[in-house]
Amino acid sequence: MVVIAVENPAADIISGRIFVRAGGRWERRDQAGLSYLLSAVLTKGTDKLSSLEIAERIESVGASLGTDASTDYFLLSLKTVAADFPEILELAAQLLRSPSFPEAEVELERRLALQDIRSQQEQPFTIAFDQLRQAMYQQHPYALSTLGTEASMSSLYRGDLQRYHQTYFRPDNIVVSIAGRVAPEEAIDLVNQAFGDWQSPPLPLTGLDLPKITPNPTWMATAQETQQSIVMVGYQSPSVRNPDYAAMKLINTYLGNGLSSRLFVELREKLGLAYEVSAFYPTRLDASQFVAYMGTAPENTAIALSGLRKEVERLCNTKLSVDELQAAKNKLLGQYALGKQTNAQIAQVYGWYETIGLGIEFDSRFNVEVADVTAEMAQEVACRYFIEPYVSLVGPSAAINTVS
């Protein structure tokens, strides 16, 4: 087990992030949503404590403890005043090591997850993103949301959770990241007390044999009688471990981050095309995606698509000016610094980097790599990835059928 401890005496608070190398990327397609369901029931009982007893322990000291399932990791988060941290860390260890997965709780959370899946199937943005993601990633786990599908979630049961837990929840697959009013040596001692007798199985952990992601840009359209069209373009993009990662993060900031971004200014402010317009480039272990999207009036669907593609792909032909490049760097690095103000944020960043194999030193290296990006480098990266997009449209049939 890897332990990261950062002392920050500014406030009498300690935050912990316990990462498990699990999540959607480690799920078979027919079991998509397994990590999400496990996160929902992990806190509902152990072999010694009931759901009510767990809640009482947390609430009696005013602490917070929660779980989350992401594409590339499973997470247990905790936060307490310093005096109560040993008790809550011990509770977290019980939850991670010996959850009981009560049958009634599993069934309840499965039904709630199915309701969420059905609800999302009615939301235009979710429909557009789901069909884009499935086209881009095909049989790779990234093709599906952390909730999975209605079919996969319906087929999950308590035994599936137990087997998944036995496979991935082991000390050599866990990173514990702690930040707050605690000396590093003391933090490590507390982790030893809570987890020290937990032994890893003798056999090494092996992941899934993931399919190769083969680019095949396509157009997808779903007719839905809505008041606006969702127009979305997606481009295969580098993983966090790719040398192009920092430059792509900078491009994403320039194009789609905030009210001063290029997409917002050009397509919403100047042309009045967009109800909303933005872009995102998620950090991923495997190949990621750059996605630009717009909500627009149905009669503007075709011109909105043309505008999105023009603004993204122009970066291959037009270098960023000195001012544009510096403004994007200032915004990206400023937001990155603001994202590490609290103990919880510090524990999250360091734990995440260690979990994906980059190490905590990537925190400093990322700043340097962003600062070193030149206009020429940004243009080269844009030309490498912004070639032919996947296109996803959702809106009235009369609007999307006219787009070609």
Side-chain angles (χ1 to χ4, degrees):
M1 181 179 288
V2 175
V3 181
I4 300 166
V6 179
E7 186 172 8
N8 180 16
D12 187 30
I13 298 292
I14 301 177
S15 290
R17 293 288 188 271
I18 303 177
F19 290 84
V20 184
R21 293 183 183 93
R25 186 176 176 272
W26 284 265
E27 297 169 353
R28 299 199 322 255
R29 192 173 184 86
D30 63 336
Q31 292 189 325
L34 184 54
S35 303
Y36 176 88
L37 185 58
L38 192 148
S39 73
V41 298
L42 190 79
T43 60
K44 304 301 183 182
T46 71
D47 55 5
K48 296 179 180 178
L49 299 171
S50 68
S51 177
L52 180 59
E53 289 171 327
I54 292 169
E56 287 176 342
R57 284 200 180 190
I58 298 169
E59 293 171 5
S60 67
V61 295
S64 66
L65 185 150
T67 54
D68 187 28
S70 175
T71 302
D72 288 322
Y73 61 84
F74 182 98
L75 180 66
L76 187 150
S77 307
L78 57 147
K79 182 171 70 173
T80 75
V81 296
D84 297 322
F85 185 73
E87 178 184 350
I88 300 302
L89 182 64
E90 179 63 38
L91 175 61
Q94 284 193 51
L95 295 172
L96 286 171
R97 297 177 62 173
S98 55
S100 58
F101 303 126
E103 194 77 57
E105 297 287 356
V106 173
E107 181 59 27
L108 173 61
E109 294 298 337
R110 188 163 65 95
R111 288 202 307 267
L112 293 173
L114 286 169
Q115 289 177 16
D116 287 342
I117 292 171
R118 290 163 187 153
S119 174
Q120 289 185 0
Q121 290 171 350
E122 300 174 357
Q123 301 170 14
F125 177 87
T126 303
I127 295 170
F129 185 50
D130 279 351
Q131 64 187 14
L132 180 77
R133 179 167 50 192
Q134 289 175 30
M136 294 183 77
Y137 289 110
Q138 301 128 32
Q139 297 302 309
H140 191 284
Y142 285 178
L144 303 175
S145 80
T146 54
L147 281 169
T149 66
E150 191 168 351
S152 65
M153 182 59 70
S154 298
S155 68
L156 298 177
Y157 296 96
R158 181 172 182 267
D160 300 308
L161 298 179
Q162 291 174 316
R163 285 186 289 273
Y164 189 80
H165 178 267
Q166 290 167 2
T167 301
Y168 294 106
F169 285 64
R170 45 189 280 173
D172 58 349
N173 199 40
I174 288 176
V175 173
V176 181
S177 182
I178 297 170
R181 186 174 287 183
V182 59
E185 298 80 6
E186 182 184 353
I188 293 171
D189 286 343
L190 290 173
V191 173
N192 273 328
Q193 293 171 29
F195 295 99
D197 61 343
W198 192 11
Q199 298 299 310
S200 294
L203 294 177
L205 181 64
T206 57
L208 297 179
D209 186 13
L210 298 178
K212 183 180 180 180
I213 301 170
T214 305
N216 182 30
T218 55
W219 285 52
M220 300 138 288
T222 297
Q224 189 179 57
E225 295 309 309
T226 57
Q227 294 183 339
Q228 63 174 306
S229 293
I230 300 297
V231 180
M232 192 173 288
V233 293
Y235 302 81
Q236 295 282 1
S237 300
S239 77
V240 67
R241 293 180 285 196
N242 189 295
D244 293 335
Y245 174 74
M248 185 60 83
K249 275 294 184 185
L250 191 66
I251 289 171
N252 178 71
T253 300
Y254 168 74
L255 280 174
N257 188 335
L259 304 184
S260 63
S261 67
R262 174 81 185 191
L263 294 179
F264 191 92
V265 171
E266 295 297 321
L267 301 180
R268 177 185 166 96
E269 296 299 290
K270 291 184 179 180
L271 298 181
L273 287 175
Y275 298 127
E276 60 174 333
V277 60
S278 190
F280 56 90
Y281 165 51
T283 299
R284 291 284 180 265
L285 267 171
D286 296 327
S288 186
Q289 56 187 162
F290 174 86
V291 178
Y293 68 92
M294 183 192 303
T296 189
E299 62 270 19
N300 291 330
T301 302
I303 192 172
L305 174 59
S306 175
L308 278 178
R309 289 196 60 177
K310 175 184 175 183
E311 290 301 334
V312 172
E313 295 167 14
R314 67 178 283 275
L315 293 183
C316 180
N317 303 311
T318 305
K319 286 194 296 186
L320 297 178
S321 70
V322 173
D323 290 343
E324 288 174 329
L325 182 67
Q326 192 59 52
K329 288 182 179 181
N330 293 343
K331 183 191 292 187
L332 176 57
L333 294 178
Q335 291 176 342
Y336 185 73
L338 290 174
K340 298 184 297 177
Q341 288 187 311
T342 68
N343 291 328
Q345 291 170 327
I346 294 169
Q348 176 74 25
V349 169
Y350 286 172
W352 165 229
Y353 287 156
E354 183 64 30
T355 300
I356 58 178
L358 293 173
I360 62 174
E361 61 271 15
F362 184 73
D363 177 56
S364 299
R365 196 166 77 243
F366 176 70
N367 286 274
V368 174
E369 290 178 358
V370 170
D372 287 346
V373 174
T374 64
E376 290 76 15
M377 291 168 59
Q379 185 176 27
E380 288 175 6
V381 168
C383 288
R384 192 146 43 237
Y385 298 99
F386 297 156
I387 304 171
E388 183 71 21
Y390 292 76
V391 176
S392 180
L393 306 173
V394 175
S397 56
I400 62 176
N401 289 338
T402 60
V403 181
S404 60

